[in-house]
Amino acid sequence: MMRVAAALSGLLLAADPAAWAQKFEELAPTPPMGWNSWNHFECKIDEATVRATADAMVVSGMRDAGYRYVVIDDCWQGARDADGFIQPDPERFPSGMKALADAVHSKGLKLGLYSDAGWTTCGHRPGSRGYEFQDALSYARWGVDYLKYDWCDTEGLNAEGAYQTMAAALKAAGRPIVLSICEWGDNQPWEWAEPIGHLWRTTGDIAPCFDCEVDHGDWSSWGVLRILDLQDGLRVHAGPGHWNDPDMLEVGNGMSEAEDRAHFSMWAMLAAPLIAGNDLTRMLPATRAILINREVIAVDQDPLGIQGFRHSAAGDLEIWFKPLEGGDWAMCVLNRSASRQRLELVWQELAVDDALADRQTLFKARLYRVRDLWTGADLGTTRRPLEAEIAGHDVLMVRLVRVLDAND
Ligand code: GLA
């Protein structure tokens, strides 16, 4: 009797779509890292560029620094065949997606693709609406590892339901695929997406500027500071396996070196996915040095997976903290202004209490070594005040390394 009941409940589970609608767990214990074609190439993407990017990811040291996913964004799609299966654009991807996935995998990397929950993508290619299970099957057969799923042309659709359908389709296709939810924060995905996807966009699109709004007519894209400010209040929703996504990186896409450094630092403080968006085959050494800074990446990828928070602001300077493993902390001081600012900080006067993670720095009782993550300089300990000058649109980012004493 017991056995029959167990078998029956197994059957019920298999027949219950809600049971499929759970994502593949364990795919994103830390924020995903990789590259995506959109920010630099937009619709002008082809297989030669993807192969060259995968090569560059290895040669530049990015793979060894933790970058894994090579994601082809919009405009790879051609038409559907007579049976409804999506085909890559035959002119841009003549070898097909399976061969491209094999090539990317052979370099120790993973392949990502883009689709859309609506009838058409934002770039007016076929979307997945009505073809979700069929498309997921194609992705699985090709060896795709990551799907960015957009939200254009979705009139009449319920966002949670639409993303649940694609999560269920991926689960049914059987290949573990990261689901990157891209509905721009319109329907508060942080409130419902944790069981469905591994990351969700919190805002509209980023633009390669520090503090601007780019007007596209019926929508706007936003500079780094605007996107940063829109993250307010969201940290409670992020953690291992489910991340707030403030959009892909614009490092190397035209901002100043200081701005690129500030952007990368703040994304690390946010435990954001680090998805490079520049042309990896033609990067300046300064761009590369920012993208592969291992100590900054370690802040982003810290195993605790606690998103950082704005602790305080004084004039144009903001102080952010992020708890790290081993009792360490990251601190980033962001200069929002274009002019140089002076910082003087007496650690013992700072009360840093992260109620969400139940962690306190306790600077009066605990000692930390202070390490500058951009210069690599040892700045002494928290026994003495920190004095620094921070250039316009730049940061001072340090790791506070807990020095244990005999009482610990
Ligand atoms: C939307 C997304 C972008 C990009 C484009 C592609 O705007 O938010 O990140 O994927 O579509 O068309």
Side-chain angles (χ1 to χ4, degrees):
M1 196 59 201
M2 286 282 281
R3 223 181 260 174
V4 174
L8 263 180
S9 73
L11 268 180
L12 284 176
L13 195 71
D16 174 9
W20 298 341
Q22 303 305 308
K23 67 189 185 190
F24 286 98
E25 299 291 341
E26 319 297 335
L27 292 184
T30 59
M33 293 177 65
W35 171 89
N36 173 298
S37 53
W38 185 255
N39 282 357
H40 182 83
F41 293 97
E42 298 192 333
C43 241
K44 296 180 286 300
I45 186 69
D46 56 29
E47 67 176 50
T49 307
V50 175
R51 284 170 192 264
T53 300
D55 284 344
M57 203 180 255
V58 176
V59 172
S60 64
M62 285 178 68
R63 181 190 64 184
D64 293 344
Y67 295 84
R68 281 290 172 281
Y69 296 98
V70 176
V71 183
I72 309 171
D73 206 279
D74 208 350
C75 304
W76 62 267
Q77 307 90 335
R80 295 187 179 279
D81 71 11
D83 295 323
F85 285 99
I86 188 75
Q87 305 298 312
D89 181 319
E91 274 166 28
R92 293 167 175 215
F93 294 90
S95 315
M97 283 302 170
K98 174 85 175 75
L100 194 52
D102 289 347
V104 169
H105 291 155
S106 75
K107 301 195 173 299
L109 298 168
K110 292 172 180 285
L111 184 73
L113 282 185
Y114 160 102
S115 190
D116 187 289
W119 300 118
T120 56
T121 70
C122 300
H124 313 296
R125 303 289 168 133
S128 290
R129 188 167 183 178
Y131 294 90
E132 292 89 348
F133 280 69
Q134 217 173 341
D135 285 356
L137 198 58
S138 295
Y139 307 151
R141 286 178 176 162
W142 291 336
V144 168
D145 307 290
Y146 183 111
L147 175 67
K148 173 176 167 183
Y149 202 47
D150 212 345
W151 190 240
C152 275
D153 203 8
T154 51
E155 202 177 318
L157 277 186
N158 165 279
E160 180 178 357
Y163 283 94
Q164 226 164 36
T165 301
M166 185 44 95
L170 294 172
K171 203 72 193 283
R175 182 178 172 88
I177 294 180
V178 171
L179 179 56
S180 158
I181 293 175
C182 178
E183 66 74 58
W184 321 312
D186 286 4
N187 299 276
Q188 295 77 45
W190 43 87
E191 285 171 3
W192 46 260
E194 182 181 337
I196 299 172
H198 303 89
L199 60 159
W200 50 79
R201 281 274 294 278
T202 53
T203 70
D205 289 8
I206 194 168
C209 55
F210 202 61
D211 188 14
C212 71
E213 175 180 351
V214 181
D215 185 356
H216 302 275
D218 52 353
W219 63 286
S220 288
S221 50
W222 310 92
V224 167
L225 290 185
R226 307 286 185 101
I227 299 246
L228 178 66
D229 292 345
L230 290 167
Q231 308 311 309
D232 212 25
L234 299 185
R235 67 184 294 253
V236 55
H237 302 287
H242 54 280
W243 307 101
N244 288 315
D245 174 9
D247 205 359
M248 305 170 296
L249 296 167
E250 292 283 15
V251 174
N253 281 342
M255 287 188 286
S256 73
E257 192 181 327
E259 291 169 341
D260 276 352
R261 188 165 38 242
H263 170 29
F264 195 72
S265 303
M266 292 315 303
W267 263 229
M269 293 301 285
L270 292 172
L274 296 180
I275 308 291
N278 57 316
D279 181 353
L280 302 189
T281 66
R282 297 148 61 98
M283 295 194 262
L284 295 173
T287 302
R288 174 177 169 271
I290 290 172
L291 290 173
I292 66 170
N293 182 318
R294 285 176 187 249
E295 292 184 273
V296 175
I297 291 173
V299 170
D300 180 79
Q301 296 286 303
D302 185 83
L304 296 180
I306 302 171
Q307 183 171 329
F309 58 95
R310 188 190 337 245
H311 168 269
S312 52
D316 291 313
L317 292 183
E318 280 180 9
I319 305 187
W320 289 67
F321 278 90
K322 180 181 195 286
L324 304 175
E325 70 171 343
D328 291 3
W329 289 77
M331 181 186 79
C332 192
V333 186
L334 168 68
N335 181 359
R336 297 176 68 108
S337 80
S339 55
R340 182 171 286 274
Q341 306 279 334
R342 229 192 121 56
L343 171 76
E344 277 188 45
L345 214 146
V346 179
W347 298 101
Q348 289 70 19
E349 289 173 0
L350 278 187
V352 182
D353 182 356
D354 181 358
L356 176 68
D358 190 21
R359 282 164 193 263
Q360 300 79 27
T361 55
L362 302 177
F363 285 124
K364 286 182 186 153
R366 294 181 182 163
L367 185 67
Y368 299 85
R369 278 193 298 111
V370 184
R371 185 170 165 77
D372 186 324
L373 299 188
W374 286 110
T375 64
D378 183 348
L379 303 181
T381 70
T382 47
R383 242 184 229 121
R384 61 162 204 196
L386 179 68
E387 292 179 17
E389 297 237 316
I390 306 176
H393 292 179
D394 208 339
V395 287
L396 171 72
M397 186 172 183
V398 300
R399 185 177 184 116
L400 302 171
V401 182
R402 176 86 195 273
V403 181
L404 297 178
D405 61 31
N407 301 324
D408 287 298

